Amino acid sequence: MPINEKQVEALAESQTSRSDEEGQEIKWTEAEEKALVRRIDFLVMPLLTLAFFALQLDRGNIGNAMTDFFLRDVGITQFQFNVGQQLLSAGIVILEIPSNIILYRVGPTVWIGAQILAWGFVAAFQAFQKGLGPFLATRLLLGLCEAGFIPAGLFTITRWYTREETTKRFSVYFLGNLFAGACSGLVAYGILQMRGICNLAGWQWLFLLEGLFTILVGIAFIAFFPLSTGKPVSILGIRYFSEREAQILQQRVLRDDPTKFQPRRNVTWGEIKDTLTNWRLLPHFFMTLLGMAPAHTMGAYAPLLVVSFGFDRLKSNAMLSIGAWALIVTNLLWGWAAAKTGQRGLMVFLGVLILWGFTIGNRVLVGSSNGNLRFGILVTATAFQANWHAVNGSWMALNARSAGERSVTLAIFVMSANIAGIIGSQVFQAKDAPLYYTGWTVIVALISVALFCSIVANLQYRLLNKFQKRTGEARYHY
């Protein structure tokens, strides 16, 4: 069974009492704490963000490969390509929760580092696939190896930062994803022109070089990431904080949120059951499931859409980076505004609302011959397609009742985003090409329901708090 609030408070008090008895009670100044947080920012966040950067490069570069005759060279159809994309998402979903249970037991340095190396090797060797069987196998294997990485990173952040600090750091973490989206088109534009070197296609060089980069990131992560707040030492023996500083790191997080005091190194079945039966997560789940599905569609097909607007085949990859760079700005803005105002639910609603508006614009312009206008609306929609996603994740984490439940909640959060990939991978069909009238109609419908779910998510917490205030127990963040 998960520990309840009274048990958590008792555990926290007993921890403090032991510190008092041993003469180890730590007091610190605000300036000292701020200095420690800055050091965490320069130690923990860069490695997690870099790993996320590598993840997105390896699972998103297939959209760039599509502009370099990937389907023809491998020998598959568009429908088979869509199935492969579904298998990638399915692989992530299958092992999402098991991966986080393992993380909880062995710690982030070993488990996350091993994941990075695993998917890095798969990403590199997929350069040599040929035929339907190898294509489907590598997409599934890539998903299985990547499963759990994103919620593992989010959970690790919650162990190093206080509740009010996590929203900004979640947004910073997702910058790795967004920077990859912004850089991948520019990088692909250069690498794809290597076609013919060593008798390899441009897309083969793309997979090979970006996979090798990921392997190097995995080695660096294992070598330098600190083991925990209580033991801020790398596997190589590099100590980043003194004993006193390590105690401050632990106590400041525990005092902010006693639920993070967890003497166990495993998630209980009770916590898993309570999380899976938590009806308050349903609006978040469906909002992410439906709201993020179009992002997966665009990840695979946006370069080809730009080509259909009348632009150059390879240059389309670089042109799309405009929207991706803008998404970085909106992501930071949403994270900052949510942390500043404390209104995470409102910022999520506004993000989905703006995306809904530009999605309607894309649908209205499907038949337009003005390629420049269509490109402008498409890249503007890209700038808002996921800026609310990280804020939604921090919102869910804040309302978890224990560390174990928080771990499973974040796994569900990322599972919903990857199930969205299963949906998004089949939105655009070959028979609907090149304008995709039906596809864009489906996208409008998906975002419309996601917008409704964001309203429900906001209302449920406000109503629950209003009801609980009568007994003085209002506790939900919105």
Side-chain angles (χ1 to χ4, degrees):
M1 292 295 292
I3 53 179
N4 59 37
E5 292 183 14
K6 290 184 178 180
Q7 289 174 313
V8 166
E9 290 172 2
L11 286 168
E13 287 174 5
S14 66
Q15 176 77 356
T16 303
S17 297
R18 286 195 297 272
S19 296
D20 287 335
E21 292 170 3
E22 298 168 5
Q24 295 178 349
E25 177 66 15
I26 298 294
K27 293 183 179 181
W28 60 87
T29 65
E30 183 179 348
E32 190 176 10
E33 183 175 5
K34 285 183 177 179
L36 279 178
V37 173
R38 283 196 297 270
R39 287 169 61 187
I40 299 172
D41 286 339
F42 284 102
L43 174 64
V44 172
M45 293 308 303
L47 287 170
L48 286 172
T49 304
L50 181 63
F52 205 163
F53 178 90
L55 176 89
Q56 187 56 36
L57 276 184
D58 292 331
R59 71 178 180 182
N61 53 16
I62 192 118
N64 305 120
M66 288 279 282
T67 65
D68 191 47
F69 311 112
F70 176 79
L71 297 183
R72 183 197 68 187
D73 291 350
V74 176
I76 58 175
T77 66
Q78 183 175 337
F79 176 78
Q80 291 167 338
F81 170 81
N82 289 345
V83 172
Q85 290 298 89
Q86 288 181 307
L87 286 176
L88 171 70
S89 298
I92 295 174
V93 172
I94 290 170
L95 293 185
E96 199 76 79
I97 292 179
S99 176
N100 277 265
I101 293 174
I102 297 173
L103 165 83
Y104 204 78
R105 179 173 290 275
V106 306
T109 302
V110 174
W111 183 241
I112 294 178
Q115 283 188 288
I116 299 170
L117 289 176
W119 90 62
F121 278 107
V122 175
F125 283 105
Q126 70 176 339
F128 306 105
Q129 62 186 298
K130 183 71 174 179
L132 176 61
F135 169 70
L136 297 179
T138 54
R139 297 317 282 175
L140 176 61
L141 190 57
L142 190 64
L144 292 172
C145 291
E146 292 177 350
F149 167 78
I150 299 175
L154 294 172
F155 180 73
T156 301
I157 290 171
T158 67
R159 306 300 284 177
W160 284 88
Y161 293 97
T162 65
R163 287 175 293 185
E164 292 305 314
E165 293 166 349
T166 56
T167 298
K168 287 182 181 178
R169 274 69 186 187
F170 275 22
S171 293
V172 171
Y173 178 55
F174 274 88
L175 280 180
N177 177 24
L178 302 180
F179 268 120
C183 296
S184 61
L186 298 173
V187 172
Y189 175 66
I191 294 179
L192 290 177
Q193 297 187 64
M194 296 175 66
R195 172 176 278 269
I197 297 177
C198 297
N199 294 319
L200 295 177
W203 61 265
Q204 290 180 293
W205 280 113
L206 187 68
F207 289 153
L208 186 60
L209 294 177
E210 293 184 350
L212 290 174
F213 168 76
T214 298
I215 293 171
L216 293 176
V217 171
I219 294 171
F221 191 94
I222 293 174
F224 298 110
F225 198 82
L227 296 174
S228 66
T229 54
K231 191 178 181 182
V233 183
S234 73
I235 283 181
L236 295 180
I238 304 172
R239 188 169 187 88
Y240 300 108
F241 300 92
S242 68
E243 188 65 33
R244 167 182 162 78
E245 289 171 336
Q247 290 178 328
I248 294 173
L249 291 176
Q250 281 189 303
Q251 290 192 25
R252 77 182 199 92
V253 173
L254 176 58
R255 292 177 186 180
D256 170 73
D257 184 1
T259 65
K260 293 178 182 178
F261 178 74
Q262 200 88 0
R264 296 174 284 104
R265 291 187 63 81
N266 63 287
V267 180
T268 68
W269 286 111
E271 286 172 320
I272 295 174
K273 178 183 176 182
D274 286 348
T275 306
L276 295 178
T277 56
N278 182 1
W279 57 268
R280 291 177 294 276
L281 295 179
L282 289 176
H284 295 281
F285 177 84
F286 286 109
M287 174 171 49
T288 305
L289 177 71
L290 303 175
M292 292 299 294
H296 289 272
T297 307
M298 292 300 104
Y301 285 99
L304 290 180
L305 286 177
V306 176
V307 172
S308 73
F309 298 162
F311 296 99
D312 178 75
R313 176 175 60 87
L314 295 183
K315 285 183 179 179
S316 66
N317 294 290
M319 292 172 66
L320 278 169
S321 67
I322 298 172
W325 284 107
L327 178 57
I328 292 173
V329 176
T330 60
N331 178 73
L332 287 173
L333 177 61
W334 250 246
W336 173 84
K340 187 74 173 178
T341 63
Q343 297 291 323
R344 294 165 184 83
L346 176 61
M347 294 308 300
V348 169
F349 166 73
L350 290 176
V352 180
L353 178 64
I354 294 172
L355 174 61
W356 178 75
F358 283 110
T359 300
I360 291 177
N362 276 304
R363 176 60 184 84
V364 170
L365 292 173
V366 165
S368 173
S369 61
N370 189 334
N372 290 327
L373 178 60
R374 292 199 64 190
F375 173 75
I377 297 297
L378 180 67
V379 296
T380 306
T382 301
F384 292 93
Q385 71 178 1
N387 61 321
W388 50 273
H389 186 49
V391 178
N392 185 37
S394 69
W395 189 15
M396 295 171 68
L398 281 173
N399 284 312
R401 293 167 293 186
S402 70
E405 186 174 321
R406 185 175 295 110
S407 176
V408 181
T409 295
L410 290 173
I412 291 174
F413 165 64
V414 179
M415 281 177 62
S416 61
N418 284 290
I419 297 174
I422 298 175
I423 298 172
S425 297
Q426 289 289 359
V427 170
F428 282 178
Q429 298 287 333
K431 62 183 179 182
D432 198 27
L435 298 179
Y436 298 107
Y437 276 101
T438 302
W440 279 113
T441 301
V442 170
I443 289 176
V444 170
L446 292 173
I447 300 297
S448 296
V449 180
L451 181 63
F452 172 76
C453 290
S454 74
I455 296 172
V456 173
N458 275 277
L459 287 176
Q460 70 176 1
Y461 292 123
R462 293 177 186 273
L463 292 175
L464 284 169
N465 274 358
K466 185 176 180 180
F467 175 78
Q468 291 183 346
K469 277 182 180 178
R470 298 173 185 173
T471 58
E473 297 179 355
R475 59 173 298 273
Y476 294 105
H477 298 268
Y478 54 80

